[in-house]
Amino acid sequence: MTGEHLQVLHGDITRMEVDAIVNAANSGLLGGGGVDGAIHGAGGPAIMAACRGIRETKGGCPTGQAVITTGGLLPAPYVIHAVGPVWEGGNHNEDALLASAYEASVALAAQHKLRTLAFPNISTGIYGFPRERAVDIAINAVRKALAKAPGIEQVSFVCFDDENYRLYRQRLS
Ligand code: AR6
């Protein structure tokens, strides 16, 4: 636990007892591997049904934005599906899009009057965003968004791999 409302944990985000967990989704919202696969697997078909509904009405979720669904069978009642950028070398607006994915998630949680939120390390798996670069973007974006979301009491960064856990511990201690 550190100052403000930020904490870092090592483990599986699907087990978090918070108001919403964030998914590292893709624009199509139809599931995938990584944490997306784990969330749909643990949360059951209600999450996918809600994602299909959003696809039908909005056509999906653009990169850098987020949408909210039920948490299905998860301990968390809601899942916020945030779409981070695919790393393409760093000159394709990746930094701003990653920051936007975090900020949009915090804003959406605030709109829904949620108080506790847990993030995975968006884009640092299958999407290939360099971990060391992503950690600062994530922390700064969440801090910036929290300044406009006073109802949010705690944000957890749930790191699955050792390298991300080490980086977040270093930055937040
Ligand atoms: N809990 C917490 N973090 C996890 C878990 C888990 N259960 N499983 C993996 N991670 P990734 P991306 C971490 O690949 O890079 C999907 O197919 C993992 O160690 O899940 O944003 C989507 O559908 C890594 O640090 O997401 C998209 O198509 C972090 O989660 C695409 O992958 C993100 O890795 C998104 O790629």
Side-chain angles (χ1 to χ4, degrees):
M1 189 61 201
T2 63
E4 309 154 308
H5 325 261
L6 305 184
Q7 72 170 341
V8 53
L9 299 169
H10 198 191
D12 178 358
I13 200 166
T14 64
R15 310 183 62 142
M16 290 291 293
E17 295 182 11
V18 288
D19 292 341
I21 63 169
V22 177
N23 182 17
N26 58 62
S27 292
L29 299 176
L30 291 182
V35 71
D36 196 4
I39 288 171
H40 282 284
I47 302 176
M48 185 56 77
C51 284
R52 285 217 179 84
I54 294 168
R55 250 179 89 93
E56 278 159 23
T57 54
K58 297 176 59 175
C61 179
T63 304
Q65 295 187 30
V67 297
I68 189 166
T69 69
T70 174
L73 302 171
L74 295 169
Y78 295 97
V79 175
I80 291 174
H81 305 263
V83 182
V86 177
W87 179 256
E88 293 180 87
N91 291 319
H92 292 81
N93 209 27
E94 292 98 324
D95 292 358
L97 288 167
L98 185 61
S100 172
Y102 280 95
E103 287 169 29
S105 299
V106 172
L108 196 52
Q111 265 172 40
H112 287 262
K113 308 222 177 310
L114 308 183
R115 293 187 304 186
T116 54
L117 191 56
F119 278 101
N121 309 127
I122 299 171
S123 285
T124 68
I126 293 163
Y127 279 180
F129 205 108
R131 288 180 173 84
E132 186 141 13
R133 184 162 171 151
V135 64
D136 293 317
I137 294 169
I139 292 170
N140 289 337
V142 167
R143 280 186 175 144
K144 184 175 156 200
L146 283 177
K148 291 180 261 174
I152 296 184
E153 292 165 5
Q154 187 170 68
V155 173
S156 305
F157 292 102
V158 182
C159 303
F160 196 66
D161 59 88
D162 296 343
E163 174 69 0
N164 268 316
Y165 183 59
R166 187 185 66 75
L167 288 167
Y168 275 83
R169 285 270 304 248
Q170 202 178 66
R171 296 302 193 284
L172 290 174
S173 63

